[in-house]
Amino acid sequence: MSTQEQSAAPTTQTQSPDVVVVGAGTAGCYAAATIARAGYDVVILERKTEDEAGHIACGDALKGADAFPEAIPKSKLEPAFTNTGVDHGRFEIPQEDTVLEIPIPGELAVIDRWEYGRRIIEGAESVGVDFHYDTVVNDVTQADDGRVTGVEAIRKGEPRTYEAAVVIDAAGSLSVLQDHVDFSESTFDTNVNYSHFCSAYREIVHVDEPVEWDDALVFKPTERAAGYLWYFPRTDTEINAGLGFQMTEEPMKLVDDLKRDLENRPEFAGAEVEDKLGAALPTRRPYDSAVHPGYMAVGDAAGHVNPTTGGGIAGAAYAGKYAAEAAIKGLETGDVGEKTLWEYNERVMDHFGARYAALDVYNILSTAIDVDDLMGLLAAMPGEKLAEALYSGSTSIGPKLAAESLYNSRGHWGTIWNFFQTKRRADDLLELYEAYPHHPAALEHWQERRDDLMEQVYETTGADPKY
């Protein structure tokens, strides 16, 4: 290489904040805002431009709209809440020629996700978070002992190195950061593959006349059990229409299901469609451990999504808070090892992780039964009990209720019985997750007990092993 060519090579700039957060989504912004409020220097690296940041594919439905961490108060987000009148789910089951109106516990809202994305970014900026847009992370740096010490990135075409005491991975589903970290010296969960994830696609549809179901979240099965359609009303004339399906399915065939359904629904005649987007999201249990020395994963990057509904905004906000508070403890003590950060795992499992792990059992059941039998099961279940199963991970079902469900199900008795047996397995799993270990040395024994329970889940459901 000539002297002239050597002088033209770009010089890598180095920055050294206390904490680097990768990704400006919900988990990343709440993590960064929490750290900045504590007086530490934190930077968020976001691959999108400043104009596009916060614009992601999302169903726009928000459960838990009443509760957000104080790092970015709910009051700052409320202008993005376009419909706070939703209070139930509407399950359309054409196979049974029925519609189920099911109450959904907790406060609900439908939001404008891009406006919400702008609001959380503004909230983080207002407390001192530094945002670096147009920044693509392409590697992770580690010390000889395995501790993560920062990331390498390209910012607006120029190489950058970010050195930090803690890196928080909020880079979303199938985060590329996890491909670069050597986790061999920690308990960080590496039992992850593409089949644990769902692809989602959605369009924003504008109609001339108000829809009759503007107070409901509408769900409808696709022609295969591995997916469902949704219609979530941002307003009575602006609808988020989309579908989710396991990555093992063929995308275009399922997108055709959405297209056909839109064409056949009279309320969408002459509708205008805009803002078509797709994304991936986890439909699996939360990571067994999302910590490694100097590194934590949050939100979608750690499986923090309800695997039966795909909802994850409120959980991601709290995961960001809990990870940030563990990072702050590490910064204060000078120890960012796995034991110090472990409390983050415990708080996630205590708040929502145990519930999501139990809900994953129902996701597994759905892969093992015919779509018509699944719809027969939904039609036979009392609405309030179905809501409990979908959102709490468990439901109380006594002999009388079981007998009534069996009577109502007629030709689907085998599936109903399978569901009741699966419910017992989910309860056992929920109990075990509620006893999540208090330190990393105990994780392996806990995992052995969990895996024994999962073998019973597969035996009960007839499903292929998922993990």
Side-chain angles (χ1 to χ4, degrees):
M1 182 181 291
S2 69
T3 303
Q4 184 177 6
E5 287 173 328
Q6 287 178 333
S7 65
T11 302
T12 301
Q13 296 185 40
T14 300
Q15 290 186 237
S16 302
D18 297 310
V19 178
V20 166
V21 177
V22 182
T26 297
C29 284
Y30 271 93
T34 303
I35 292 165
R37 280 179 175 269
Y40 291 97
D41 183 18
V42 55
V43 60
I44 288 183
L45 310 183
E46 170 55 47
R47 64 182 177 82
K48 294 179 180 176
T49 66
E50 185 172 0
D51 289 341
E52 282 289 318
H55 187 206
I56 67 169
C58 180
D60 292 348
L62 173 58
K63 185 179 182 296
D66 56 327
F68 276 89
E70 282 303 309
I72 306 174
K74 178 187 172 184
S75 60
K76 288 187 176 292
L77 312 178
E78 285 178 330
F81 290 24
T82 56
N83 184 356
T84 57
V86 288
D87 60 9
H88 68 285
R90 175 184 169 90
F91 285 73
E92 299 180 353
I93 306 178
Q95 294 93 329
E96 298 289 325
D97 191 26
T98 191
V99 172
L100 299 179
E101 305 282 355
I102 297 175
I104 298 177
E107 186 173 333
L108 289 171
V110 182
I111 64 175
D112 179 330
R113 182 57 181 80
W114 197 355
E115 179 63 21
Y116 165 85
R118 294 188 186 100
R119 294 278 172 175
I120 57 173
I121 288 171
E122 289 172 4
E125 283 180 327
S126 71
V127 295
V129 176
D130 186 16
F131 281 79
H132 288 192
Y133 299 102
D134 288 308
T135 304
V136 178
V137 175
N138 53 26
D139 207 351
V140 176
T141 58
Q142 291 183 259
D144 291 341
D145 61 0
R147 177 175 55 87
V148 170
T149 58
V151 299
E152 295 180 355
I154 301 295
R155 186 183 186 202
K156 298 181 179 179
E158 300 293 329
R160 289 282 182 97
T161 294
Y162 295 86
E163 299 172 342
V166 178
V167 171
I168 295 180
D169 177 3
S173 299
L174 300 168
S175 166
V176 296
L177 276 70
Q178 293 168 30
D179 295 334
H180 295 289
V181 179
D182 178 0
F183 292 118
S184 60
E185 299 302 316
S186 74
T187 61
F188 191 95
D189 196 342
T190 57
N191 183 17
V192 181
N193 66 60
Y194 82 98
S195 67
H196 302 165
F197 292 80
C198 169
S199 290
Y201 169 80
R202 69 101 176 99
E203 302 171 348
I204 304 303
V205 182
H206 297 267
V207 296
D208 292 331
E209 298 295 327
V211 296
E212 295 180 355
W213 34 263
D214 63 308
D215 59 346
L217 303 179
V218 179
F219 299 88
K220 185 176 182 179
T222 60
E223 295 178 4
R224 285 158 290 277
Y228 71 91
L229 309 178
W230 73 70
Y231 299 102
F232 296 165
R234 282 186 176 180
T235 69
D236 57 8
T237 58
E238 183 179 81
I239 315 300
N240 182 314
L243 79 159
F245 52 91
Q246 290 300 123
M247 284 191 173
T248 50
E249 293 290 315
E250 295 184 45
M252 291 315 298
K253 287 185 178 180
L254 283 158
V255 171
D256 286 343
D257 284 355
L258 175 62
K259 181 179 179 181
R260 275 195 304 273
D261 202 61
L262 280 166
E263 290 173 346
N264 292 330
R265 298 178 77 100
E267 62 264 50
F268 292 114
E272 295 182 7
V273 177
E274 64 176 35
D275 200 20
K276 302 178 181 181
L277 282 177
L281 70 156
T283 44
R284 53 157 291 145
R285 66 193 181 202
Y287 283 16
D288 289 355
S289 170
V291 306
H292 174 89
Y295 178 94
M296 288 175 281
V298 293
D300 284 11
H304 295 159
V305 170
N306 182 325
T308 60
T309 67
I313 292 176
Y318 277 95
K321 166 186 165 69
Y322 300 151
E325 289 173 348
I328 291 166
K329 181 179 179 181
L331 292 168
E332 290 174 344
T333 61
D335 178 2
V336 294
E338 189 175 16
K339 290 182 181 178
T340 300
L341 303 181
W342 189 260
E343 186 179 354
Y344 159 61
N345 282 336
E346 294 184 74
R347 295 179 75 186
V348 165
M349 293 302 183
D350 181 63
H351 185 163
F352 60 84
R355 179 163 50 92
Y356 286 1
L359 287 167
D360 186 47
V361 173
Y362 299 104
N363 183 281
I364 290 169
L365 172 65
S366 73
T367 69
I369 59 178
D370 180 80
V371 64
D372 289 341
D373 286 335
L374 180 61
M375 293 306 105
L377 166 64
L378 292 177
M381 285 286 292
E384 69 276 7
K385 297 302 177 184
L386 184 57
E388 286 180 20
L390 286 172
Y391 290 97
S392 71
S394 182
T395 184
S396 55
I397 301 174
K400 181 175 182 293
L401 183 57
E404 289 175 354
S405 298
L406 285 169
Y407 176 78
N408 292 336
S409 66
R410 298 177 180 85
H412 304 288
W413 289 352
T415 304
I416 294 293
W417 177 247
N418 198 353
F419 174 81
F420 291 139
Q421 293 294 96
T422 300
K423 182 261 180 193
R424 293 180 179 178
R425 304 287 81 81
D427 287 349
D428 293 340
L429 200 67
L430 181 63
E431 183 178 355
L432 178 65
Y433 268 82
E434 289 173 344
Y436 182 82
H438 296 303
H439 54 87
L443 184 66
E444 184 176 359
H445 177 64
W446 179 88
Q447 287 174 318
E448 290 173 355
R449 294 165 59 203
R450 190 273 315 281
D451 291 346
D452 287 343
L453 286 178
M454 290 303 298
E455 286 300 320
Q456 297 176 38
V457 169
Y458 300 134
E459 182 178 349
T460 298
T461 61
D464 292 331
K466 184 172 181 178
Y467 301 100

